[in-house]
Amino acid sequence: MEELIRKHALKNALDFGSASAKAVLGKVLAEKPELRARVKELLPLVERVVEEVNALSREEVERALSGYSFEVRRERKRELPPLPRVAGEVVMRFAPNPSGPLHLGHARAAVLNDAYVRRYGGRLILRLEDTDPARVYPPAYEMIHEDLRWLGVRVHETVVQSSRLEVYYRHARELIEKGHAYVCQCSAEEFQRLKLEMRACEHRSRGAEENLEEFERMFTEYREGEAVVRLKTGMDLRDPAMRDFPIMRISEARHPRVEARVYPLMNFAVAVDDHLLGVTHVLRGKDHIVNTRKQAYVYRFFGWQMPEFIHYGRLKIEGVALSTSKIREGIDAGRYAGWDDVALGTLRALARRGFRSEAVRRAMLDVGVKQSDISFSWKNLFAYNREIVEPIANRYFFVASPVEVVVEALPEFSREVRLHPDYPERGSRRLELKPEGGAARVFIARSDFERLEEGGFVRLMEGFNIEVLEKGEGRVKARFHSLELEEAKRRRARLIHWVPAQQAVPVTVLKPEGRDTGYGEPALRRVKADDMVQFERYGFARIDEAGKRIVACYAHP
């Protein structure tokens, strides 16, 4: 029974960085359904084995796992469903608002559009929807291009809506001339009341010529909030949101790219652009279904054919900040260091933490265009990224919240350890201790310190075995016992990592939930900024600053 649990615990630890008792129990019960009646008896055993496995290094997990066999299941290749009604060239668009750089939520739309365009040999238009001047963040125009290049998204054409204002003015005038739109001077509160009462306002019955004159006055006389252009959809429609909604309005906020005060609202500008740019298929969240229905009126009044719309479910992403407006507030207030702060969900923050764009792409292709709402799987992203960075990340020791251990009776110790167990050609790093006065000092992580017991027997990874003599507040006294790894295995000794105190390198690890400070081994002085490393039994990280002091950004287990 214990061997069955250990097998699945090792596999779970290898796949996800550390084993989960709940996941391991599920795998055991899946293989042996007859054990379901013994869950209460099994759980303590599972928890103990998982704790033992999680104390191993990745290399030890791999070695131990090689002694077990698993049923090989052929994984079904995940493909996006075909686009509906493809006839001729496929043209799609990715249309962010330049209120900040791209974040993980944007990545879904960008990657899916790019994947479909590549599949059909079509074109992808990047459309920067900047007709709300109050929301525009000027550096975002270039930042979005940079983020898409990092993500591997190929853009065939870039369109900036603020440079097309005359196009929207022309089409607004055409709708007014045809009697499909009018200028309304009702206050927002007044029109809301009329809309709910399903009654038209006094301005709706004006003739086209008078409405055109009123439209021109929006450019010169009316102030923000005093006049809008409304589409004549009908004040008796069942859905109040569809009743004579606005398509043009006045904004007196300063725009960084144009001198203007009349701007199209999203549903008007989007419909006009999608038609004129020849967009054939639109991917959007199902929260845009109402907008799709609104845009259908614009198409109908102009006699245009609508693109094919594919609405997918919401993607819930937890654990990182995504709202660009709140992030900007946080940067201004000093809560975030910048757009690449590791607490953020921007693509820049992910890149700074050491995530590779291919891992993000694979995770978003897994999400796909499902109509159901789903939660984003960080575990999947971690697994994909681990596949990419594991071969290139050299191994080092880092201890967080360090506690000093004084080891008595230690002979002089020195050992060469490979930088990467699978690539001996990369060289090695030296772990050494030179006792002074018959004792040597090392640092261990506080998490390991808390598990130590007086009289306990533990092994320092890639080092030697010690006996714990005394455990005080923030300090341990121990005695060297032996060098042999086999004895540690036989006695099922806890395995902990350590750092020589004399040569310790100060290390700070930035994490989304905060930061860990501690010490790293001397070999870390040789790393360079942007190197990817694996801190044993801690996780993968990207080196942000190198030198006498190391700053690393945590990626994942």
Side-chain angles (χ1 to χ4, degrees), residues 341-372:
D341 190 295
V342 296
L344 305 180
T346 61
L347 298 186
R348 290 160 186 265
L350 292 179
R352 186 182 178 202
R353 289 172 59 185
F355 286 92
R356 292 336 195 222
S357 60
E358 180 56 30
V360 177
R361 288 183 66 93
R362 289 176 65 185
M364 291 306 167
L365 289 173
D366 279 352
V367 170
V369 290
K370 303 176 184 71
Q371 292 186 349
S372 57

Side-chain angles (χ1 to χ4, degrees), residues 34 92 158 305 357 398 445 490:
E34 64 271 19
M92 303 183 75
T158 299
Q305 181 178 347
S357 60
F398 161 69
R490 188 174 63 254

Side-chain angles (χ1 to χ4, degrees), residues 362-549:
R362 289 176 65 185
M364 291 306 167
L365 289 173
D366 279 352
V367 170
V369 290
K370 303 176 184 71
Q371 292 186 349
S372 57
D373 296 345
I374 56 175
S375 294
F376 179 71
S377 172
W378 284 101
K379 281 192 173 182
N380 283 354
L381 179 58
F382 294 167
Y384 290 145
N385 201 63
R386 193 179 299 113
E387 285 181 25
I388 299 169
V389 302
E390 195 279 334
I392 65 174
N394 288 337
R395 279 39 170 181
Y396 299 96
F397 288 165
F398 161 69
V399 294
S401 303
V403 175
E404 185 180 72
V405 178
V406 178
V407 183
E408 297 179 344
L410 176 72
E412 190 166 307
F413 171 82
S414 178
R415 174 167 292 173
E416 294 288 330
V417 183
R418 287 181 182 178
L419 286 167
H420 195 295
D422 299 331
Y423 301 96
E425 65 276 11
R426 289 193 197 165
S428 61
R429 67 214 214 247
R430 181 183 295 275
L431 295 173
E432 60 182 351
L433 284 170
K434 295 181 179 180
E436 296 178 357
R441 295 184 307 117
V442 302
F443 290 122
I444 65 172
R446 178 162 290 276
S447 57
D448 286 324
F449 163 78
E450 290 171 351
R451 296 177 180 178
L452 292 182
E453 296 179 356
E454 291 186 358
F457 183 87
V458 297
R459 180 171 181 81
L460 303 185
M461 286 177 62
E462 304 290 359
F464 46 88
N465 306 318
I466 61 173
E467 291 177 298
V468 178
L469 302 177
E470 297 178 13
K471 179 183 176 184
E473 181 55 41
R475 199 167 185 271
V476 176
K477 185 178 178 181
R479 179 190 295 118
F480 170 77
H481 182 277
S482 59
L483 292 171
E484 290 75 22
L485 176 61
E486 289 306 315
E487 182 179 8
K489 288 182 176 179
R490 188 174 63 254
R491 296 180 62 167
R492 292 189 173 180
R494 182 184 301 282
L495 195 69
I496 62 178
H497 56 293
W498 57 284
V499 170
Q502 290 175 323
Q503 303 163 296
V505 178
V507 175
T508 299
V509 180
L510 307 179
K511 306 173 77 172
E513 62 272 21
R515 62 177 59 197
D516 285 339
T517 57
Y519 292 114
E521 63 177 270
L524 279 169
R525 290 193 176 94
R526 302 201 302 265
V527 300
K528 300 185 296 296
D530 207 37
D531 281 355
M532 202 70 193
V533 301
Q534 182 185 6
F535 291 137
E536 297 274 11
R537 295 177 60 238
Y538 182 87
F540 291 89
R542 177 191 153 274
I543 301 299
D544 205 51
E545 298 176 22
K548 294 181 179 180
R549 170 180 172 272

Side-chain angles (χ1 to χ4, degrees), residues 80 83 92 108-122 124 152-154 283 361 364-365:
L80 296 173
L83 291 174
M92 303 183 75
R108 181 187 192 183
V111 167
L112 294 179
N113 275 288
D114 181 64
Y116 273 123
V117 165
R118 289 176 186 269
R119 178 171 171 178
Y120 288 96
L124 178 62
V153 171
R154 184 168 52 196
L283 299 181
R361 288 183 66 93
M364 291 306 167
L365 289 173

